[in-house]
Amino acid sequence: MSKHDTEFYTELLRAYFDSANDAIFVLCNELKFLMCNKLMEEWIGHSEFTLTSHNERHPITDLLGDAASIEKFRNSVEQVLAGKPQRLECFINPDSAPQRWLEISMTRVDVEAGDMIIAVARDMTRQREQLAKIHYQSTHDVLTGLPNRVMLQGLLGSCADETDPAAALVVDIPRFRDVNEALGYRTADEILKAVARRIEVTANDYQGTTTGHLTGNRFAVVVSGKTADSIELIADAIHAALSRPMQHAAMELTLGSSIGIAQFPAQVERRSNLLQAAETALHHAKQNMATGIKNFYPELYGAGSERLSLVNDLRSAVDNCRIHVHMQPIVPLQGDGGVRLEALARWKRGGIDVPPDKFIALAELSGHILPVTQLVMEQAIAQSAQLIRDGFVSGIAINLSPHCLMDRIFTERVEALIERCGIPASSLTFEITEGVAMSERMHQYTVQELRSLGVNLSIDDFGTGHSSLCKLRQLPVSELKIDKSFVRDMLVDKGDATIVEASINLAHSLDLKVVAEGIEDDATLACLVQMGCDYAQGFCICPPLPLPDLLKWLKLGSAKSPQTANQ
Ligand code: C2E
Ligand code: CA
Ligand code: CA
């Protein structure tokens, strides 16, 4: 190559380097800059010349915004220098450019001059903000701004030391419906806000308390590390605070309260059962007195033997293949893609439907979830195979429990099934809830195996778990399903509408498709079309149906597709 050629190619490479949509930079093994492209200059507010000229050179760690990012970066570099490419998210806070969240991928190159690190960075600030907003809105009550049930439950589950005592108080404002009816929703909302403040201020006098808002007139206080005596003191103080008259406009109201208490480890075996136990205690408090305080005792559950007989019946239903499936269509909203189906398990016990949420949880606890999933999968694939082959539907989605991902031969079973029924792997989708996808229980091994088989993965109940953006990008998923709790009220609840819209934008910016589930009316459907949602599922399109009814819907119902219905 002539000198002229070399110059030409160097110039060409430089132009290519500078025109990239990602920031690219090269670091020496002391983490100082050796090169960077135009975008990186812009992001850190210094020219490449200053960054690389000898007496100005600073390590990149000087730009990192917080101690956690520095530590994470250093650990990753260690791995990179040991030959293992890394991807990490970190926060930069340069003095002459705006703060940003970057996702940085790093690899080592060995050249004569020594080891170097080539890094490619992507700006994740907007997605981070969207995710933070979704996280905030899905963990806080919109009216009072207090933590909601999801957050309190997370708080109870996340304690480092499993033996630390904890307690939950659930506070109910009796006859609040009367206030609603007499004064109207707007005034009632203002009163609820005042009640929230009163409970919070009272609880804040005690250490280790977090006040939350469960639903309309129900609040909770989670307490960590208290003895039984002081928990009753807190309950007394809240009870007294709510017995004092409350001034609203020209009115004086005295509301009162009923309070249920549950304590760990004295009364419940697990911290995560505390809220439920306190609600059970509250239920008894309300039954036995107009207002008052009631402590939880396990015998209040009274469900031990009933639970046992349910497990026995479930075992026999599984053994005798008496778990069935209904299927619900998931229809495209934006023109591309066909109708898909979601398989939902059904169990009739003594002629009465047991809610799937209940028997699936029971199957998980009692170790029957693998055979239940196998039964659902076999029926769902067998029933939909012909429809898929004939092009009536494009695929079938099946819900997976975390236990399935821990089953070493789960992928083999799936492979055998799709071969037997003659459908392509790409027509199968597994739905994994957001909570599981983000947790330690997410077994990467099975997930990767399933992906290499060619099946699709979808994150179910999105918005109810705590997503990490980095994890979300790393998971080989193709779709998010926005949880129905946000879709249900999105036309009347601004907070829910924001979550839905932000989730759609977030999914699209990560190249994922979005499904909204739980759509019960045409107006919500039309709004989702406007927001750019890709797929829809809900009672207003079609409820879950057994195969014969579904066939009728497919023949008739597909004629009224939501795209045409909402134009
Ligand atoms: P999911 O996966 O979120 O399933 C969607 C649920 O929403 C279904 O409840 C469906 O009937 C319901 N749904 C659909 N459209 C609407 C609507 O417009 N409004 C409302 N309010 N609900 C709607 P279902 O069948 O009761 O199932 C409940 C949950 O039980 C499922 O939630 C899923 O988590 C679990 N489940 C069901 N079948 C299986 C299964 O085979 N395996 C596993 N692991 N879980 C299952
Ligand atoms: Ca699902
Ligand atoms: Ca769902």
Side-chain angles (χ1 to χ4, degrees):
M1 207 183 274
S2 70
K3 183 167 175 262
H4 180 258
D5 280 350
T6 315
E7 270 170 18
F8 170 72
Y9 282 115
T10 310
E11 217 170 283
L12 199 64
L13 273 178
R14 183 76 222 186
Y16 175 65
F17 186 58
D18 279 336
S19 66
N21 281 331
D22 293 327
I24 309 171
F25 53 96
V26 181
L27 302 174
C28 67
N29 55 9
E30 287 170 351
L31 303 186
K32 291 180 178 166
F33 286 92
L34 297 173
M35 254 177 120
C36 79
N37 71 349
K38 281 256 173 307
L39 193 58
M40 191 64 181
E41 287 183 334
E42 184 189 322
W43 286 356
I44 55 185
H46 287 292
S47 69
E48 184 186 35
F49 181 76
T50 350
L51 278 174
T52 56
S53 59
H54 221 64
N55 37 14
E56 303 271 348
R57 285 170 62 193
H58 287 290
I60 187 173
T61 40
D62 285 0
L63 294 171
L64 297 178
D66 52 30
S69 287
I70 297 177
E71 160 121 16
K72 208 155 65 166
F73 197 88
R74 288 229 160 93
N75 290 340
S76 291
V77 164
E78 232 170 71
Q79 298 288 319
V80 174
L81 290 175
K84 295 182 206 135
Q86 298 287 308
R87 180 149 70 177
L88 81 157
E89 261 178 59
C90 59
F91 179 59
I92 58 163
N93 188 14
D95 42 20
S96 42
Q99 305 176 332
R100 263 170 230 279
W101 273 98
L102 298 184
E103 184 193 76
I104 305 182
S105 305
M106 297 191 280
T107 17
R108 184 186 73 183
V109 276
D110 306 320
V111 284
E112 253 176 58
D115 285 346
M116 293 180 197
I117 297 163
I118 295 198
V120 178
R122 200 163 271 193
D123 187 0
M124 303 303 277
T125 315
R126 213 168 63 84
Q127 285 98 327
R128 272 264 175 179
E129 281 165 4
Q130 277 173 342
L131 205 59
K133 200 164 171 189
I134 294 172
H135 183 232
Y136 179 84
Q137 306 230 21
S138 55
T139 51
H140 289 78
D141 178 71
V142 184
L143 179 71
T144 56
L146 288 176
N148 64 10
R149 183 187 294 271
V150 173
M151 183 153 167
L152 293 181
Q153 202 61 48
L155 212 66
L156 287 168
S158 68
C159 187
D161 186 350
E162 259 304 305
T163 57
D164 266 1
L169 315 177
V170 175
V171 183
D172 181 90
I173 311 299
R175 298 176 299 274
F176 199 75
R177 193 181 298 165
D178 297 345
V179 177
N180 257 329
E181 278 171 13
L183 304 177
Y185 286 106
R186 222 166 259 181
T187 312
D189 277 356
E190 290 308 310
I191 294 170
L192 275 182
K193 281 196 225 169
V195 169
R197 290 290 87 78
R198 211 173 254 199
I199 300 177
E200 194 182 21
V201 167
T202 313
N204 280 352
D205 282 344
Y206 301 84
Q207 268 179 0
T209 56
T210 309
T211 303
H213 190 176
L214 298 180
T215 50
N217 59 338
R218 194 163 279 194
F219 298 84
V221 178
V222 164
V223 193
S224 50
K226 293 276 167 192
T227 63
D229 283 355
S230 50
I231 282 144
E232 284 175 14
L233 276 183
I234 300 174
D236 282 338
I238 293 174
H239 193 58
L242 294 175
S243 308
R244 282 202 315 274
M246 204 170 255
Q247 199 70 34
H248 186 80
M251 282 174 305
E252 200 179 77
L253 283 165
T254 303
L255 293 168
S257 63
S258 301
I259 301 181
I261 304 179
Q263 297 171 50
F264 168 85
Q267 297 166 339
V268 297
E269 312 108 74
R270 284 208 223 127
R271 212 187 296 268
S272 54
N273 290 345
L274 277 171
L275 274 179
Q276 199 191 342
E279 281 180 303
T280 308
L282 170 71
H283 178 69
H284 285 262
K286 281 167 70 92
Q287 272 184 341
N288 298 330
M289 39 199 152
T291 62
I293 301 173
K294 179 93 187 164
N295 240 307
F296 172 83
Y297 292 101
E299 59 271 24
L300 285 176
Y301 261 134
S305 58
E306 193 212 314
R307 219 170 18 224
L308 205 63
S309 94
L310 207 60
V311 173
N312 279 334
D313 290 357
L314 180 66
R315 179 178 308 126
S316 122
V318 171
D319 289 346
N320 299 298
C321 302
R322 277 187 278 107
I323 304 286
H324 297 292
V325 293
H326 282 184
M327 289 180 285
Q328 186 178 30
I330 302 173
V331 300
L333 293 180
Q334 307 291 346
D336 51 348
V339 173
R340 232 183 323 144
L341 303 171
E342 175 175 1
L344 293 157
R346 295 290 178 262
W347 176 34
K348 260 194 184 3
R349 181 188 187 226
I352 297 169
D353 279 317
V354 182
D357 283 327
K358 187 167 175 183
F359 75 78
I360 293 288
L362 202 68
E364 285 177 345
L365 286 174
S366 60
H368 292 91
I369 192 65
L370 289 180
V372 168
T373 311
Q374 185 70 15
L375 276 178
V376 169
M377 231 169 25
E378 278 173 10
Q379 294 176 57
I381 296 180
Q383 293 184 12
S384 60
Q386 192 63 40
L387 293 170
I388 294 172
R389 286 196 297 265
D390 293 345
F392 263 117
V393 299
S394 64
I396 176 95
I398 288 159
N399 293 286
L400 280 197
S401 290
H403 304 263
C404 305
L405 299 173
M406 288 179 227
D407 179 15
R408 284 258 150 196
I409 58 164
F410 184 72
T411 321
E412 275 171 43
R413 287 185 223 266
V414 175
E415 197 172 8
L417 251 176
I418 52 182
E419 241 166 56
R420 175 143 50 95
C421 296
I423 57 162
S426 59
S427 58
L428 197 60
T429 303
F430 284 118
E431 297 188 1
I432 304 164
T433 61
E434 186 188 19
V436 171
M438 293 300 144
S439 77
E440 302 304 312
R441 296 187 292 171
M442 183 70 175
H443 274 234
Q444 289 297 340
Y445 176 75
T446 317
V447 169
Q448 294 301 346
E449 266 195 343
L450 285 172
R451 265 310 289 157
S452 30
L453 199 64
V455 304
N456 305 297
L457 297 175
S458 172
I459 297 197
D460 205 355
D461 302 346
F462 185 74
T464 58
H466 299 233
S467 272
S468 129
L469 202 56
C470 209
K471 235 177 179 165
L472 207 57
R473 275 175 58 83
Q474 279 165 8
L475 285 175
V477 299
S478 50
E479 181 183 271
L480 297 186
K481 290 187 80 172
I482 306 174
D483 189 58
K484 53 182 175 295
S485 60
F486 304 113
V487 175
R488 189 187 54 211
D489 299 327
M490 59 180 269
L491 293 188
V492 286
D493 186 323
K494 256 198 166 155
D496 285 351
T498 316
I499 295 185
V500 171
E501 191 157 30
S503 304
I504 295 173
N505 293 337
L506 176 74
H508 287 166
S509 70
L510 295 174
D511 261 344
L512 305 175
K513 295 282 184 205
V514 199
V515 183
E517 62 173 20
I519 307 166
E520 295 187 351
D521 56 81
D522 286 348
T524 306
L525 184 61
C527 181
L528 286 159
V529 173
Q530 285 285 314
M531 288 178 171
C533 184
D534 304 293
Y535 291 92
Q537 177 181 12
F539 294 164
C540 88
I541 300 164
C542 178
L545 294 173
L547 184 65
D549 296 332
L550 181 77
L551 292 175
K552 281 188 212 145
W553 183 88
L554 282 170
K555 283 192 189 125
L556 297 173
S558 312
K560 185 211 161 205
S561 91
Q563 292 154 48
T564 45
N566 290 287
Q567 269 164 10

